[in-house]
Amino acid sequence: MRVLVDAGFSPRALQARLAAARMAPESIDALLLTHEHTDHASGAADAVARWGWPVVATAGTFAALPALREASRMVLTATSALALGALDVAAVPIAHDAREPVALVLADRHSGARAAIALDLGRAPDDFAQALGPLDLLVIEANHDAQRLADGPYPAMLKRRISGGSGHLSNAQTAHLLGACARVGLGAVILAHLSETNNTPELALGAVRPALRAAGWRTRALHVATQGAVLHPVASAQRDARQLALDL
Ligand SMILES: [Zn+2]
Ligand SMILES: [Zn+2]
């Protein structure tokens, strides 16, 4: 079972990025959406029309994406996991200014491997790491450096939206959350959704490394995904024979 999480690119750009990762769109079994914002879903309808993927999302996300009305749809709820072949897909509600945004936890019933994708988190409550559970791989937002955002060129209203409780996580917030995740059980980490204006990979890594170290995280599989390039395939540190996720 192979799934794609979010589709913010045109089919052409998506196909090129998949090709860079040596994957054919036809090999994807389903498209999972975390929420309806354009950087996550603007390419979904075209991709689904082209490749016929069934779509998995919350009712709120579907309601906000009328272009997916004709798609084969599977509705995710926070109360029960959805079975996609051997993959159990669970949704964890998150605070973000979308209709019904979620983080996704993917569990492979055969191997027991677990991966989570947590993007666009307005805040990181203490029980969030518990809600995700032990993970072999976590793709997590590290959106901005708080100082850089404050000093940067964005209008005041946008700065408030980004740093607010339903916006995006700062590096410091991501670091705090990763510390909690490491205490629950954490393999490889991919930092994602970095702002090109308000963050750099160095700033993000510099913030999260000490927090992971302090939490006793020994895996040392820490990667950063940038917007312009396709990240190399990342295998879970504990289950390195299995490729668990690919960040686009
Ligand atoms: Zn968003
Ligand atoms: Zn986003």
Side-chain angles (χ1 to χ4, degrees), residues 17-119:
R17 284 175 173 242
L18 287 169
R22 299 179 204 281
M23 285 188 195
E26 293 78 13
S27 71
I28 290 170
D29 299 297
L31 171 63
L32 279 50
L33 297 176
T34 58
H35 65 298
E36 71 273 20
H37 286 164
T38 52
D39 53 326
H40 299 261
S42 64
D46 286 347
V48 165
R50 182 137 161 203
W51 293 300
W53 300 327
V55 185
V56 178
T58 62
T61 298
F62 277 128
L65 293 168
L68 290 176
R69 214 177 294 124
E70 305 299 321
S72 158
R73 301 164 15 151
M74 284 176 270
V75 177
L76 256 182
T77 67
T79 46
S80 60
L82 192 142
L84 275 181
L87 202 63
D88 284 328
V89 181
V92 179
I94 57 174
H96 183 56
D97 49 11
R99 285 282 276 277
E100 194 184 354
V102 289
L104 297 169
V105 181
L106 313 176
D108 184 311
R109 235 172 291 125
H110 294 320
S111 66
R114 302 180 83 256
I117 294 93
L119 305 170

Side-chain angles (χ1 to χ4, degrees), residues 122-199:
R123 60 185 99 95
D126 284 345
D127 56 0
F128 188 68
Q130 296 288 345
L132 296 178
L135 296 168
D136 299 289
L137 172 69
L138 172 60
V139 182
I140 187 166
E141 148 170 276
N143 180 254
H144 59 275
D145 173 80
Q147 196 59 49
R148 213 169 154 119
L149 175 68
D151 297 343
Y154 283 10
M157 216 175 76
L158 183 55
K159 289 181 182 180
R160 272 198 302 277
R161 192 218 138 208
I162 291 170
S163 61
S166 56
H168 293 276
L169 292 191
S170 70
N171 293 338
Q173 288 173 304
T174 301
H176 181 77
L177 177 54
L178 280 174
C181 290
R183 284 183 280 273
V184 174
L186 185 60
V189 175
I190 300 174
L191 303 179
H193 214 294
L194 275 72
S195 164
E196 290 187 329
T197 305
N198 303 312
N199 210 359

